[in-house]
């Protein structure tokens, strides 16, 4: 049963610390998305990659957030330095896009708490 | 600016009834509309996709309609069960864009 995996599932850190979240997309999927979910803002797209190339990261605060895909089996989202307002659940999703988008498969999320 | 609104944050219905959830959008011309289900502590799970040239799509007890004139999608769950209790999210995608824009969701509770 193919699924998206994310690590860690929970992360508590102090303000100013670096946080790295990892995602393993479903094998064969060519598109990876990073979302952030909060009660106030809902589910927001931060960045996404197609065939490992970043296509759009306009939803991401550039000064502290960075997203990369070092290989087809790993996507990372890094926050440096972290701030309390970054506290949220971060989801990774993957999908297979041929000509048009199909469904996205979400991971279980990383719940980040910045104190 | 683009806006997606889902009806009331919470909807309670009695088991066996049909639940109807609404997704309205403005300043947007989506080519596709998707519905996802999200349970507490989990990521969203894809349910249905409907294209702009489709009026209706069905899957088991689920039915989605898409009215591009009204700029609205309706999501129906017939013969609802307590297990259908979850938050339901609609998501829109423009023709050439690959990303989805999600609504804030409607929390559905089916009472036994």
């Amino acid at each position: 049963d193919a699924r998206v995996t994310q690590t860690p599932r929970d992360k508590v850190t102090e303000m100013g610390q670096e946080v790295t979240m990892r995602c393993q997309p479903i094998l064969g999927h060519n598109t990876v998305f990073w979302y952030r979910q909060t009660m106030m803002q809902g589910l927001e797209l931060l960045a996404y990659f197609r065939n490992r190339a970043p296509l759009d990261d306009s939803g991401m605060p550039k000064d502290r957030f960075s997203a990369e895909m070092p290989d087809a089996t790993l996507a990372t989202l890094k926050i440096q330095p972290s701030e309390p307002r970054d506290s949220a659940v971060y989801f990774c999703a993957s999908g297979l896009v041929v000509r048009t988008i199909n469904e996205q498969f979400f991971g279980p999320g990383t719940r980040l708490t910045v104190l | 600016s683009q806006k997606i609104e889902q009806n009331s944050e919470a909807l309670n219905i009695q088991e066996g009834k049909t639940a109807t959830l609404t997704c309205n959008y403005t300043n947007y011309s989506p080519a596709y509309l998707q519905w996802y289900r999200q349970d507490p502590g989990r990521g969203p799970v894809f349910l249905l996709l409907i294209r702009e040239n489709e009026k209706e799509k069905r899957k088991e007890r689920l039915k989605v309609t898409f009215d591009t004139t009204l700029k609205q999608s309706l999501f129906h769950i017939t013969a609802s069960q307590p297990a259908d209790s979850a938050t339901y999210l609609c998501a829109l995608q423009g023709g050439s864009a690959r990303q989805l824009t999600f609504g804030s969701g409607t929390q559905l509770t089916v009472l036994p």
Side-chain angles (χ1 to χ4, degrees):
Chain A
D1 186 25
R3 58 184 68 189
V4 176
T5 59
Q6 289 185 248
T7 57
R9 291 296 309 277
D10 281 280
K11 176 72 175 179
V12 180
T13 191
E14 293 190 345
M15 183 173 64
Q17 296 298 304
E18 177 179 302
V19 175
T20 298
M21 290 168 272
R22 293 177 174 80
C23 167
Q24 182 171 9
I26 292 173
L27 190 64
H29 282 185
N30 60 357
T31 308
V32 174
F33 305 83
W34 280 106
Y35 291 91
R36 174 172 61 186
Q37 188 173 42
T38 61
M39 288 295 291
M40 293 297 296
Q41 299 297 328
L43 199 59
E44 303 173 282
L45 179 68
L46 297 175
Y48 75 100
F49 296 78
R50 188 172 182 190
N51 296 324
R52 294 178 55 203
L55 286 190
D56 187 353
D57 60 0
S58 59
M60 210 162 62
K62 302 287 191 306
D63 56 337
R64 299 183 299 108
F65 285 59
S66 62
E68 295 179 347
M69 254 195 104
D71 63 61
T73 64
L74 178 64
T76 62
L77 180 66
K78 189 176 295 186
I79 308 174
Q80 168 63 19
S82 56
E83 297 181 2
R85 59 179 167 154
D86 301 329
S87 297
V89 180
Y90 291 80
F91 288 104
C92 172
S94 71
L96 178 61
V97 177
V98 179
R99 284 178 296 179
T100 61
I101 199 167
N102 291 313
E103 68 255 41
Q104 294 183 18
F105 294 80
F106 282 76
T110 293
R111 181 175 298 276
L112 174 64
T113 304
V114 184
L115 304 174
Chain B
S1 61
Q2 296 173 347
K3 196 173 181 181
I4 303 171
E5 287 186 345
Q6 295 192 238
N7 66 325
S8 63
E9 288 185 3
L11 180 65
N12 295 337
I13 64 165
Q14 210 65 39
E15 182 176 7
K17 301 292 186 183
T18 296
T20 298
L21 284 64
T22 305
C23 177
N24 294 297
Y25 57 92
T26 54
N27 298 324
Y28 208 123
S29 296
Y32 306 90
L33 191 148
Q34 300 185 21
W35 283 88
Y36 287 76
R37 167 183 174 143
Q38 186 173 23
D39 291 284
R42 295 177 177 268
V45 174
F46 171 79
L47 295 174
L48 281 168
L49 178 152
I50 187 166
R51 293 171 171 76
E52 62 177 338
N53 60 353
E54 295 177 319
K55 296 287 188 204
E56 183 180 296
K57 200 80 157 298
R58 291 175 185 263
K59 179 182 176 182
E60 298 173 352
R61 294 185 296 112
L62 309 180
K63 184 178 84 171
V64 172
T65 62
F66 193 8
D67 189 325
T68 56
T69 301
L70 291 178
K71 295 186 182 295
Q72 180 182 80
S73 175
L74 298 179
F75 177 80
H76 306 273
I77 306 175
T78 59
S80 59
Q81 305 165 1
D84 296 325
S85 299
T87 295
Y88 291 85
L89 304 162
C90 70
L92 278 60
Q93 181 218 342
S96 59
R98 296 291 181 258
Q99 67 269 36
L100 294 174
T101 303
F102 282 84
S104 55
T106 296
Q107 185 177 342
L108 173 68
T109 301
V110 180
L111 304 168

